[in-house]
Amino acid sequence: MKDLIYKVRNSEFLTFNESLKVKVTLVMIFLLFFASLTVPISIFEDISLSLRIVVPSVFFVLFVSTFILLSFDKSRIAMHLSIYTFLGLTVYYVDGSGQLYGYFLFFITLTVIIFYQDITTYILYGGILTGYGVYYIQVNESLMIDNGYSLSETGPVIYQTILISFFLVYLVQFILTDSINDNLNTDYLKTKKINERYRSYIFRYLSDIEDRENMTPIKDNSHFQECVRDVSTFIANKSTHSNTNIDIHEVVDFYFFLHKQNINDIIDRNDLSPQVKKYATQFQKYLIYGINDLDTLLFKGIFYYQKGIDNKVNRYNTHFDEIFSNKTNRILGLVMMYLFLTNEITQIDQWGRIQKILTHQEVKTLFKSKEMRQILSFEDINFFLKNENFFKKFL
Amino acid sequence: MLNTIFKESSFIDQQINRLELKHLRKKTIFVSAILIALITPTLLVLYAAEAPFRDILVYFFLFIFVLGINGIFIFYKHLLPNIYLSMYITTIGLYLVAFGLILDIQSPSIFTVLFLAYAIISLYQEVKVSILNNIILLISGGIFLSISPIILENANSFTPSAFFMLFILVVFVALLSVTSFILIKRKNYIYRQVVDVKEEEYKYNETILEMQAAYRKKTFDYESYYHITDKFTDEISETIGISNVFKERLKIIKDIPKLSDEKLLNQYPELRRNDLEELKQLELSKHKKIVYIAFKAAQLSDLDSDHKEFLFEKKNESINHRTDDFMVKVVATTTLYLMLRIDKPFAEKLTHDKIMSIFSDNDFYHLLDGEIYQIMKDNESYLKNLDLSKLDYEVKK
């Protein structure tokens, strides 16, 4: 239980599958609690004997099956089973007991489906349940009439309208959440790609500087290697793993050896032991300056105390529509951007060096490309194309 | 995650809040659209219930009032950036309509309008509104069920007890609260990841430009940019036959790094604060935003970003992968620590204390193996006293 609460509290760090597993477990706890309170009482309702035996038995089988599936990491099938269980209970109560009671259960079951936050599941099961609810109220209209009230005849319509509205509002929520998250996710991925490229530029410059200044790369620096060996040995000896028969010195030596090798070749070689291949595969993420996990963390550490650019307003907006409200500023922005692109090194040349400055024609192609819609509007691009010769002549 | 980029967590919080406000404005538009769609059915129900015309008008104006408030906050975002007030008013307004309908109509069928109100408000996915939403539904639902049993008395064949109805209400609120909790946590996680990666983008860019300048032994000549832009605008203005409206702006842009905002606003009386913020986007020596945009633009043409991967499907880059051997993690963590402690051509070295402060940051901590971190923490004197004098970049012999 403690573990479950911990997982809910840190749910943002869970993968989809882990998160789904937690959700199914929670639903099963709710279900157990709910059924243990309601099933015994419903036995006294006007329900046939066979139903009184069949329903709790089926419930029990579904319940146990769901937990078995969960323990085998089949969270998705477990989710479907838990929904079936709730759907079954809803139909059982609606048919067997009070209509108002059953009507409320439609909302509970919809809530369970919402809880899983899966739009397809919601549309499918939620749609079927809502449809069933509307149909049931329609065919049992006489039972749903609010006798004695001013709305006696309209009662069923209100029941139906609220149920449909509830379903639709959550459908809107699903679509809205998905659309916002998708946009943010795309933005995140694109920026991450750009960051990876920037990191590769930094390493290229680093390599150029090392060559020019005749410096030893840090991975080849014997003092650095020695220091890594000493500190690693110290940590390994203090750890609970100190009794293992792995020699940390050998591990460190192998780590630096890998910097001079093509790791994929090592992994593909048949004459090497599985242990060697395992270490090579694991170290692949931690090679120095290799666009990998280690350098991601290295830059996170380096950037921790840096402040970045000074803009606070519109800090992350790059589209001209968002950062400029008048045409004069847009033109100035466009001119400065063009100037930068045609005068500064921004790309890798055909020889793999960061040397390339874009030509007017290349900037024109870039401005006309689909990707530039992230920055410029059609209006900006039209201004550029219309005054192309001016840009070319004076900038 | 707040602190993973740099120590000014309040600044990162502000940026996350800006992102949140941007999306809340979008959600407010959706909530308003739903409210508009609900006006007619609500008035029709009241009409069918033979409510007095005056009462129907009250409901109508309550809707209009809430929609008006939402509209003001949506359209005047510069004047009213804090959209939270609009959300609170909408929440209270919507529940007032629901309470009114339950009390006016007093029919079992109308009771679930509370669930509908709850669903509409949960669209915001904002923590304070979500708490308010849960509290209002629980209290009001409880009160209506216990004080007004009349609502329940009329189920034709079976009258469920108030206890069971209350139980259903609690289950309903509990499930949706957990749903909201998970959604809000995920949303905040995404916001933070996006802010994180965007901050990194600026810093990577800055590092590249610094390395480029160091490698080429040439600094970025922003003065010539202003000069050439000025000449260009002279030419284009003359050709079009208008006065050069760009000149004054370029003058202000050049003054931005020299003067404070207040002094600039005093010196240029026609300059508004919004204009000043826009001109800051064009300033090249201090703010450099347009430089970053241009550099980013240059990368867009051949950037492969078709690969779809979702934030929650991927494992973060870390030195704490479950599948990795402990010794591999030891070597990787040691390398990271020592790399941070030495001078590099692209970054200055950090002290042991600063590194441990980064490592202990909640989000960075999760990227490291707990046992290795603890050993480092318990043996700080050993790490502090390491002789690193020979570790700086050395010239080949």
Side-chain angles (χ1 to χ4, degrees):
Chain A
M1 197 60 180
K2 211 174 155 187
D3 185 49
L4 188 68
I5 294 168
Y6 177 81
K7 280 184 175 168
V8 173
R9 286 181 62 187
N10 293 286
S11 54
E12 70 270 37
F13 299 112
L14 301 177
T15 61
F16 271 129
N17 200 38
E18 288 165 341
S19 168
L20 187 59
K21 197 172 175 179
V22 170
K23 285 177 182 173
V24 177
T25 313
L26 278 174
V27 166
M28 297 317 284
I29 293 169
F30 270 120
L31 189 59
L32 187 66
F33 192 52
F34 184 74
S36 57
L37 269 171
T38 53
V39 171
I41 291 170
S42 68
I43 288 170
F44 300 105
E45 295 301 315
D46 184 21
I47 301 168
S48 67
L49 183 66
S50 55
L51 264 181
R52 281 182 211 179
I53 297 164
V54 168
V55 171
S57 312
V58 170
F59 170 79
F60 180 76
V61 170
L62 282 173
F63 193 83
V64 172
S65 311
T66 310
F67 264 112
I68 292 170
L69 285 167
L70 269 186
S71 60
F72 282 100
D73 260 345
K74 302 282 178 198
S75 311
R76 205 149 181 92
I77 307 174
M79 174 190 84
H80 289 291
L81 269 194
S82 70
I83 293 174
Y84 295 145
T85 315
F86 253 108
L87 286 173
L89 276 181
T90 308
V91 174
Y92 169 62
Y93 283 120
V94 169
D95 282 340
S97 59
Q99 281 66 45
L100 188 59
Y101 194 26
Y103 176 69
F104 276 71
L105 268 179
F106 282 124
F107 288 93
I108 294 292
T109 312
L110 275 178
T111 307
V112 169
I113 302 168
I114 291 163
F115 183 65
Y116 287 123
Q117 286 295 308
D118 183 291
I119 191 163
T120 321
T121 310
Y122 182 68
I123 292 172
L124 180 70
Y125 296 123
I128 290 171
L129 185 73
T130 308
Y132 172 72
V134 170
Y135 169 78
Y136 185 83
I137 294 163
Q138 195 64 42
V139 295
N140 296 286
E141 201 172 310
S142 58
L143 295 171
M144 305 300 286
I145 285 174
D146 292 347
N147 287 345
Y149 294 96
S150 51
L151 274 179
S152 57
E153 296 301 322
T154 335
V157 179
I158 296 176
Y159 281 122
Q160 289 170 326
T161 310
I162 292 179
L163 187 61
I164 294 170
S165 305
F166 185 83
F167 172 75
L168 290 178
V169 168
Y170 269 104
L171 186 61
V172 170
Q173 193 192 81
F174 271 101
I175 294 167
L176 191 60
T177 307
D178 274 10
S179 132
I180 289 174
N181 286 355
D182 198 50
N183 287 341
L184 285 169
N185 193 55
T186 307
D187 196 12
Y188 170 84
L189 288 177
K190 280 185 177 163
T191 314
K192 212 168 157 51
K193 281 264 175 210
I194 286 177
N195 286 354
E196 275 172 19
R197 174 171 294 189
Y198 286 173
R199 222 150 64 206
S200 74
Y201 283 5
I202 291 170
F203 294 155
R204 271 173 208 262
Y205 272 127
L206 176 69
S207 170
D208 287 349
I209 290 171
E210 283 170 349
D211 279 353
R212 192 180 66 186
E213 309 290 333
N214 204 21
M215 292 156 89
T216 307
I218 198 72
K219 60 182 189 316
D220 299 330
N221 183 321
S222 57
H223 298 298
F224 183 79
Q225 293 180 1
E226 200 181 308
C227 206
V228 170
R229 193 179 299 117
D230 290 347
V231 178
S232 297
T233 309
F234 178 83
I235 294 173
N237 288 339
K238 294 269 177 194
S239 75
T240 53
H241 301 255
S242 57
N243 293 332
T244 53
N245 54 4
I246 296 164
D247 182 355
I248 186 75
H249 281 231
E250 281 183 21
V251 178
V252 175
D253 288 345
F254 184 60
Y255 172 64
F256 283 108
F257 166 78
L258 285 174
H259 282 83
K260 295 173 189 140
Q261 307 297 318
N262 182 338
I263 293 192
N264 289 330
D265 287 348
I266 293 179
I267 296 166
D268 291 340
R269 275 174 62 176
N270 295 326
D271 56 327
L272 294 175
S273 73
Q275 178 87 340
V276 169
K277 289 183 181 183
K278 185 185 96 179
Y279 274 81
T281 311
Q282 293 183 8
F283 270 133
Q284 201 162 18
K285 303 187 288 291
Y286 306 130
L287 297 185
I288 297 168
Y289 304 146
I291 316 288
N292 53 32
D293 289 26
L294 182 81
D295 64 57
T296 303
L297 264 65
L298 176 68
F299 278 99
K300 270 187 191 297
I302 290 167
F303 292 156
Y304 191 87
Y305 290 101
Q306 287 181 15
K307 202 170 172 191
I309 64 163
D310 230 352
N311 291 64
K312 286 183 179 162
V313 177
N314 273 325
R315 188 174 177 84
Y316 305 122
N317 293 338
T318 51
H319 200 287
F320 276 26
D321 281 351
E322 290 169 315
I323 56 177
F324 300 127
S325 64
N326 70 61
K327 204 170 177 178
T328 316
N329 291 346
R330 293 178 89 105
I331 293 171
L332 284 174
L334 196 64
V335 170
M336 287 183 187
M337 203 159 108
Y338 178 87
L339 255 177
F340 184 89
L341 290 171
T342 49
N343 286 281
E344 306 292 335
I345 295 166
T346 54
Q347 289 183 329
I348 295 170
D349 66 11
Q350 56 182 323
W351 310 109
R353 299 166 305 177
I354 314 173
Q355 292 273 17
K356 190 170 162 59
I357 298 172
L358 294 177
T359 62
H360 170 82
Q361 197 54 42
E362 283 168 331
V363 172
K364 187 180 169 184
T365 312
L366 176 68
F367 278 10
K368 285 163 78 178
S369 71
K370 191 182 123 204
E371 286 74 21
M372 275 306 279
R373 300 290 94 78
Q374 294 173 47
I375 293 170
L376 299 176
S377 66
F378 284 113
E379 192 192 354
D380 301 316
I381 294 158
N382 282 340
F383 178 84
F384 169 75
L385 294 173
K386 215 170 149 186
N387 300 284
E388 192 188 336
N389 291 333
F390 256 104
F391 276 83
K392 203 172 172 181
K393 188 176 170 190
F394 294 106
L395 296 177
Chain B
M1 194 58 61
L2 282 180
N3 289 337
T4 52
I5 304 302
F6 56 88
K7 253 191 158 177
E8 280 187 68
S9 60
S10 61
F11 175 79
I12 294 287
D13 275 337
Q14 280 172 24
Q15 297 309 320
I16 290 170
N17 196 35
R18 280 177 201 275
L19 208 57
E20 166 95 313
L21 286 174
K22 184 180 161 188
H23 289 113
L24 280 178
R25 212 160 270 122
K26 193 174 179 182
K27 289 170 184 171
T28 304
I29 295 170
F30 274 83
V31 169
S32 304
I34 292 172
L35 292 183
I36 291 170
L38 282 178
I39 295 177
T40 312
T42 308
L43 300 185
L44 281 176
V45 165
L46 285 162
Y47 177 74
E50 293 168 2
F53 182 68
R54 199 185 53 192
D55 286 8
I56 297 176
L57 267 186
V58 169
Y59 282 97
F60 178 73
F61 283 115
L62 190 54
F63 270 113
I64 297 299
F65 172 73
V66 172
L67 285 169
I69 295 284
N70 284 348
I72 290 168
F73 274 88
I74 292 164
F75 292 114
Y76 296 96
K77 60 180 179 184
H78 292 302
L79 290 172
L80 300 161
N82 195 341
I83 204 159
Y84 294 98
L85 186 64
S86 140
M87 289 193 307
Y88 296 132
I89 292 173
T90 307
T91 306
I92 293 166
L94 196 57
Y95 272 108
L96 280 179
V97 171
F99 298 160
L101 286 171
I102 293 171
L103 292 172
D104 270 354
I105 295 169
Q106 294 208 351
S107 145
S109 57
I110 203 71
F111 181 75
T112 44
V113 79
L114 282 177
F115 292 172
L116 187 58
Y118 183 95
I120 296 168
I121 300 305
S122 69
L123 222 70
Y124 288 118
Q125 288 174 16
E126 197 280 328
V127 69
K128 286 179 195 150
V129 173
S130 180
I131 292 169
L132 184 68
N133 198 16
N134 285 317
I135 291 173
I136 295 179
L137 179 64
L138 258 185
I139 293 176
S140 61
I143 289 172
F144 281 124
L145 288 171
S146 48
I147 298 179
S148 304
I150 193 166
I151 290 166
L152 307 172
E153 277 172 6
N154 203 45
N156 266 344
S157 60
F158 173 65
T159 305
S161 71
F163 169 75
F164 271 106
M165 296 304 285
L166 203 60
F167 172 69
I168 285 178
L169 185 71
V170 171
V171 170
F172 178 85
V173 174
L175 270 174
L176 286 178
S177 308
V178 181
T179 310
S180 297
F181 179 76
I182 291 173
L183 275 176
I184 290 168
K185 289 215 86 173
R186 292 213 151 201
K187 177 200 72 181
N188 290 342
Y189 175 77
I190 297 177
Y191 285 169
R192 282 165 195 220
Q193 290 284 326
V194 170
V195 168
D196 219 6
V197 84
K198 294 234 172 236
E199 282 299 330
E200 282 180 1
E201 183 189 4
Y202 286 132
K203 287 164 191 175
Y204 277 124
N205 203 315
E206 198 163 24
T207 310
I208 292 172
L209 294 176
E210 279 168 9
M211 286 195 84
Q212 202 171 63
Y215 182 67
R216 304 195 184 281
K217 295 178 177 163
K218 181 186 155 205
T219 51
F220 181 64
D221 184 10
Y222 54 86
E223 281 296 343
S224 73
Y225 271 69
Y226 293 142
H227 181 70
I228 297 169
T229 307
D230 194 26
K231 292 272 268 176
F232 175 85
T233 55
D234 274 344
E235 292 290 339
I236 205 161
S237 302
E238 201 182 307
T239 310
I240 300 169
I242 55 160
S243 62
N244 190 342
V245 287
F246 304 97
K247 240 183 179 42
E248 173 86 345
R249 290 181 177 268
L250 278 169
K251 200 165 168 266
I252 300 168
I253 291 170
K254 284 191 216 171
D255 280 341
I256 285 174
K258 298 175 202 157
L259 300 170
S260 69
D261 286 7
E262 298 315 316
K263 279 188 181 166
L264 280 166
L265 291 168
N266 283 333
Q267 193 165 322
Y268 300 97
E270 286 178 13
L271 182 70
R272 291 185 180 176
R273 200 167 277 279
N274 282 349
D275 291 335
L276 178 59
E277 289 302 334
E278 284 191 26
L279 293 178
K280 280 182 187 172
Q281 312 278 330
L282 295 162
E283 197 279 318
L284 296 169
S285 71
K286 188 181 171 196
H287 295 83
K288 303 174 194 168
K289 178 80 178 279
I290 202 75
V291 171
Y292 294 122
I293 296 176
F295 202 96
K296 182 176 184 166
Q299 315 308 318
L300 293 176
S301 58
D302 60 342
L303 196 75
D304 168 34
S305 56
D306 288 341
H307 174 60
K308 259 299 193 208
E309 176 191 41
F310 200 72
L311 264 168
F312 297 110
E313 281 170 357
K314 72 170 187 63
K315 284 282 181 197
N316 277 330
E317 287 99 342
S318 81
I319 309 183
N320 193 22
H321 294 284
R322 248 188 321 183
T323 46
D324 282 351
D325 190 274
F326 181 76
M327 296 304 170
V328 169
K329 289 184 199 175
V330 169
V331 176
T333 312
T334 306
T335 309
L336 173 69
Y337 172 82
L338 291 171
M339 289 291 292
L340 286 168
R341 276 198 72 176
I342 59 169
D343 268 325
K344 297 161 284 295
F346 53 88
E348 287 177 4
K349 62 183 164 194
L350 298 175
T351 63
H352 168 81
D353 290 335
K354 279 190 171 177
I355 297 170
M356 288 315 283
S357 163
I358 297 168
F359 282 7
S360 61
D361 181 294
N362 189 36
D363 297 303
F364 211 102
Y365 174 79
H366 284 291
L367 307 177
L368 304 172
D369 181 274
E371 188 184 348
I372 298 172
Y373 169 79
Q374 201 51 52
I375 294 169
M376 292 176 87
K377 192 81 191 147
D378 293 342
N379 296 280
E380 290 205 71
S381 59
Y382 165 78
L383 293 168
K384 263 185 193 172
N385 294 325
L386 285 170
D387 178 17
L388 305 177
S389 56
K390 292 177 183 168
L391 293 197
D392 291 331
Y393 269 77
E394 59 182 25
V395 175
K396 281 179 194 165
K397 293 186 179 84

